[in-house]
Amino acid sequence: MSSKSPLQIQAYDYLKEMILSGKLNPDELYSETRMSAEIGVSRTPMREAIQCLSQDGYITVVPSKGFRIRVLNEQDMQESIQVRCAIEGFCVQVIAAEAETKKGQKLLKNLEKLLEKQEKALQNQNEEIARKRFMEYDHQFHLALVDYLDNAEFRQMFQRLMYLIHLTTVSALAVPGRSEDTLREHKLFFSYLKDGEGDAAYKLMMVHLMMPLTMHIV
């Protein structure tokens, strides 16, 4: 969205926030005209925003009618997890081999801070806030692994998966005890990575990413 006009960015950010906050109903068909009027922008920037959201996987465009919020199904979840395994698995092996380098040490410090934030998030007495913050740090943890390689193609692919990742994570963390298990897995993964044990870190990451499929959450 960096090359878009301010109004297009405004429309994109508005719709994205509405989607992520659950304020839009997946069963409803939304019109471009209605959304333009609601946010107070013309149809052109709204149309551009809708196209970008479709490309990023947040919505499904219904030609000449409008758009629907994308819902998670088993095939989407399976395919997105397979892509994540391919990307993150490769990143893990590279990171483990470079754990002692300056760049590797910088990443490890960042991951350690994110683990502390995840643990602190779980201590919040408000379950909804705790889950939301925990999920935010969970995304940051995995994104840090991908960003480490400075691979533009990886970033682009990951960006297109972000909404499906969000939906999968929401469903998985709704299972009692899954947040605590996730934190334990992250901590063990971090210890493997810190010690340069690439194979152990890789195997654990594969199990960790595949967990939603074994839980049958869809």
Side-chain angles (χ1 to χ4, degrees):
M1 292 298 293
S2 58
S3 62
K4 304 299 182 182
S5 72
L7 287 178
Q8 290 166 3
I9 295 173
Q10 179 186 351
Y12 178 94
D13 289 344
Y14 175 82
L15 287 177
K16 182 177 176 181
E17 173 58 27
M18 292 286 282
I19 294 169
L20 292 177
S21 62
K23 295 177 181 177
L24 296 185
N25 186 351
D27 297 324
E28 188 171 344
L29 180 64
Y30 292 93
S31 73
E32 176 185 301
T33 303
R34 170 186 164 184
M35 285 301 171
S36 296
E38 186 172 319
I39 192 175
V41 300
S42 65
R43 293 181 64 181
T44 298
M46 179 57 70
R47 187 178 300 115
E48 290 290 334
I50 288 173
Q51 290 176 353
C52 288
L53 286 164
S54 176
Q55 292 170 0
D56 289 344
Y58 289 87
I59 63 176
T60 300
V61 174
V62 181
S64 302
K65 293 183 179 181
F67 67 89
R68 296 183 186 277
I69 306 306
R70 191 172 180 182
V71 295
L72 185 67
N73 60 51
E74 190 167 357
Q75 182 177 351
D76 285 339
M77 183 175 71
Q78 184 173 27
E79 290 177 355
S80 65
I81 288 175
Q82 288 172 350
V83 174
R84 287 189 70 184
C85 284
I87 294 176
E88 292 189 52
F90 179 78
C91 292
V92 167
Q93 293 284 8
V94 173
I95 294 167
E98 300 178 2
E100 295 298 325
T101 67
K102 184 177 180 180
K103 184 179 179 182
Q105 288 294 304
K106 183 178 179 180
L107 172 67
L108 289 173
K109 289 180 181 179
N110 183 32
L111 294 179
E112 190 169 25
K113 289 179 181 178
L114 288 170
L115 287 175
E116 292 172 357
K117 290 180 178 180
Q118 280 190 301
E119 190 160 20
K120 186 176 180 180
L122 290 182
Q123 296 170 3
N124 195 299
Q125 297 302 309
N126 186 309
E127 290 186 11
E128 183 177 349
I129 294 177
R131 189 176 301 164
K132 183 178 180 180
R133 289 178 179 172
F134 184 87
M135 185 166 60
E136 178 184 344
Y137 299 134
D138 177 85
H139 288 336
Q140 290 181 23
F141 188 92
H142 288 275
L143 278 171
L145 301 177
V146 177
D147 286 343
Y148 179 85
L149 265 69
D150 295 319
N151 186 311
E153 289 297 324
F154 280 2
R155 286 200 188 104
Q156 187 175 16
M157 292 174 71
F158 218 76
Q159 176 59 40
R160 289 199 298 267
L161 292 176
M162 278 309 299
Y163 186 51
L164 289 178
I165 292 173
H166 169 79
L167 292 177
T168 300
T169 306
V170 168
S171 298
L173 295 185
V175 176
R178 183 54 199 157
S179 294
E180 289 77 10
D181 288 343
T182 295
L183 179 58
R184 281 193 288 271
E185 289 163 13
H186 277 187
K187 285 183 175 180
L188 181 56
F189 167 79
F190 174 78
S191 68
Y192 286 148
L193 208 57
K194 188 176 181 180
D195 293 338
E197 297 182 29
D199 289 341
Y202 174 85
K203 290 177 182 177
L204 178 57
M205 179 57 73
M206 294 304 99
V207 172
H208 177 72
L209 293 177
M210 293 292 286
M211 189 62 69
L213 293 177
T214 62
M215 295 169 66
H216 302 289
I217 63 174
V218 174

